[in-house]
Amino acid sequence: MSVLLTTACAVPAAGAIVTAALPAGTTESRRRTTKAVALAFSVAALGLAAAIAARFDSGGPRYQLTEHYSWIRAFGISFSFGVDGIGAVLVLLTAVLVPLVMLASWHDATPDTGDSVAGGPAPEGSFGSNTFEGRRRTQGYFALILAVEAMVLVSFLATDVFLFYVFFEAMLIPMYFLIGGFGDKAGGPEQARQRSYAAVKFLLYNLLGGLVMLAAVIGLYVIAQNQNLGTFDLQALTSAIADGKLVIDPNAERALFLGFFFAFAVKAPLWPLHTWLPNAMGESTAGTAVLITAVVDKVGTFAMLRFCLGLFPNASKFFAPAILVLAVIGILYGALLAVGQKDIKRLVAYASISHFGFIILGIFAMTSQGQSGATLYMVNHGISTALLMLIAGFLISRRGSRLIADYGGVQKVAPVLAGTFLIGGLATLSLPGLAPFVSEFLVLVGTFTRYPALGIVATLGIVLAALYVLVLYQRTMTGPVKASVSGMPDLKARELLVAAPLIALTIALGVYPKPLTDLVNPAVADTLSQVHRTDPAPAHPVAAPAGGETK
């Protein structure tokens, strides 16, 4: 039995423990050592994620590299791991982003240091300024990032429903401290109160979703136990449902589906359960904001595919039209509010709400194009949003303000920063040739084949995305140079090291997405078979040539 999946989860967990236990960062040398150790563990996790993807056989069974360790025998709970194509690409996404987030956040837990306009200490309220003063803040910050990574990886790899639930909820704790303890300090005491509010709101919303899900998890176990199938093993449950050995009453199935879906819709987030996200992203450091929207929130959409559709196929089909309407509302609502934002971070947050609408639209359209596009969208949104948000963080660090109105003419004094910001923005609006375009196109095509009206309305989100991205760029990067940015330095070597891989991935996956589609398509086909869905027949099939047969 391979232990690759366990090792991939254990390495960042061990890194979190080691980083937290390092000597207090009373000197710059000790702080630098702490950061280097944490970065080394994240790079090791990336190597293991690459090994998982390399060993995954797209022509093999759905779940591969499986591991099983008994945990609570009396209730059939185990540490069970397995990776499918969808999980493999999201494990890779997580492992790629965490080292880049660490590099981008290099000064976020170091008081009175960072990048500034003059190249010296960061000004009050900048990307490099923080809230928790103390000798162990550096260890705490980077240990929390590694803890989040470990818990997210377990969530993507767990094939035991209870194990998934435990880590689905546990990741809220380190995220709470990252938001509340290391967030944006601009605005002084009032901003500190806003940050605390954002952290508590994030925790309460997601805990509520988790409590509802716990009730559904217990209900599922009771129903299975009554039919002599007392287990939380996902593969055993889905196989029993498919074979008719586990029969769930339709009303009970719908109730259980709603319990699971509610938790995932909060995490995703889906309108109208989204309101915690703009606060959390707005008050976080840019690195933490990337962890929220590009890593943690993906667990919600991933779980919709794996658990909602796999365990409750009939309920998924029953609720699909209503969920699709909510997704389309989320697409338009998020985009419209992004257009009107004055705060750079909150603009990116509302744009992400719109993008998650596209992902959920693709999932519940229940077509091969839609679900393949939704999975690619999870990856591509993570890359493009990370690029845009991290570059925005570098921009904010230099000026000390999140307000769009405080910028102007940046491209004349920091052309490389402006150029990378533009690439991130163009990826966000799904410019053809960049990665998000492929996934958005597949989602819309897959939706249109089954729900043409919803597909047409959803395309308005593309128009609005172009509006909010281009207006943001115009107001911050073009026009006369404002006095407050006239001495702004361009990107430094560390910041270029963060941006370069994200730009390369954005272009490469936009031109050649086949490596990812080859991984996810078999899992998508298996998911569709679980819900007994096939792609709709073309409305206008190709006619045979006159006097002959179609070849």
Side-chain angles (χ1 to χ4, degrees), residues 236-248:
L237 290 171
T238 53
S239 296
I241 291 170
D243 296 339
K245 297 178 181 178
L246 175 58
V247 179
I248 305 176

Side-chain angles (χ1 to χ4, degrees), residues 1 79 87 89 149 153 174 186 286 294 367 418 463 551:
M1 180 175 63
F79 278 91
V89 297
E149 179 180 21
L153 291 179
T367 60
V463 178
K551 295 184 179 180

Side-chain angles (χ1 to χ4, degrees), residues 1-8 55 65 67 69:
M1 180 175 63
S2 170
V3 294
L4 182 57
L5 302 187
T6 299
T7 306
R55 291 186 59 181
L65 306 174
E67 303 175 38
Y69 310 98

Side-chain angles (χ1 to χ4, degrees), residues 286-302:
T288 300
V290 169
L291 286 180
I292 294 170
T293 191
V295 177
V296 171
D297 288 355
K298 297 301 186 300
V299 177
T301 49
F302 162 80

Side-chain angles (χ1 to χ4, degrees), residues 63 82 84 156-159 234 302-308 310-311:
Y63 294 103
D84 63 359
F156 288 144
L157 298 173
T159 55
L234 178 65
F302 162 80
M304 291 178 189
L305 275 167
R306 174 169 286 189
F307 295 97
C308 285
L311 292 172

Side-chain angles (χ1 to χ4, degrees), residues 340-355:
Q341 289 304 304
K342 299 178 181 179
D343 182 308
I344 297 173
K345 287 184 178 179
R346 290 179 71 90
L347 186 152
V348 178
Y350 280 108
S352 290
I353 292 170
S354 181
H355 294 150

